[in-house]
Amino acid sequence: MRRIKVCQVINAYAVGGAETVALDVARGLDPARFESLAVAAVEPRSAETPEMLRRFREAGVEAHSLHHRRFGDPRALLGLTAFFRRHRPDIVLLGLVNFGPVAWAAARACGARLVQNVYGYEVWSALTAPRRMALY
């Protein structure tokens, strides 16, 4: 049976909440059923290995960096699309609201499904009743 390839897109390999959640998800995936990748979109170039990059690799996650300066950089879409085409993920997990449109477009261009994890926001209460109904 072919393993399902899951790629998680994060900001950078800095120690933080979203990065820790991504690592916990990667550790929780059954390696017999899933292949786990991680890609940092705006990871700065550094001579030292970032702490979370080390943790991802120790957990057996194939971890990469795109080294874009900011999310609005048009090269971010091209770079992420090229990355997805090269690695062919089946599912892209995204925990970043600010990188959502770029990741969505890149995943769509490569035929991957995108799952967006929105946390830390009070989205539901901000919606009006008709909009809430549209979510069902």
Side-chain angles (χ1 to χ4, degrees):
M1 182 167 109
R2 183 179 84 78
R3 294 188 306 165
I4 297 168
K5 191 178 284 191
V6 178
C7 180
Q8 296 194 70
V9 180
I10 59 175
N11 282 349
Y13 291 108
V15 177
E19 294 78 12
T20 301
V21 169
L23 181 57
D24 288 345
V25 168
R27 285 178 176 152
L29 294 175
D30 179 358
R33 295 183 55 211
F34 299 96
E35 181 180 346
S36 191
L37 297 162
V39 60
V42 292
E43 179 67 34
R45 293 187 189 275
S46 172
E48 295 181 26
T49 302
E51 175 63 22
M52 287 303 283
L53 177 58
R54 185 186 61 73
R55 291 182 193 178
F56 271 90
R57 289 183 175 159
E58 284 177 356
V61 177
E62 186 180 326
H64 302 270
S65 298
L66 296 181
H67 303 295
H68 294 296
R69 290 185 184 164
R70 55 185 167 75
F71 296 108
D73 186 341
R75 293 172 293 186
L77 175 59
L78 297 174
L80 196 56
T81 301
F83 179 85
F84 289 161
R85 284 191 175 141
R86 190 168 47 254
H87 293 279
R88 295 277 189 221
D90 298 299
I91 300 170
V92 174
L93 297 178
L94 180 69
L96 319 165
V97 174
N98 49 357
F99 205 59
V102 171
W104 179 85
R108 289 285 298 210
C110 300
R113 294 190 172 161
L114 178 74
V115 176
Q116 171 95 39
N117 175 22
V118 180
Y119 64 93
Y121 295 92
E122 189 60 41
V123 175
W124 188 254
S125 66
L127 296 175
T128 61
R131 288 188 179 136
R132 287 184 196 152
M133 293 304 294
L135 292 176
Y136 287 108

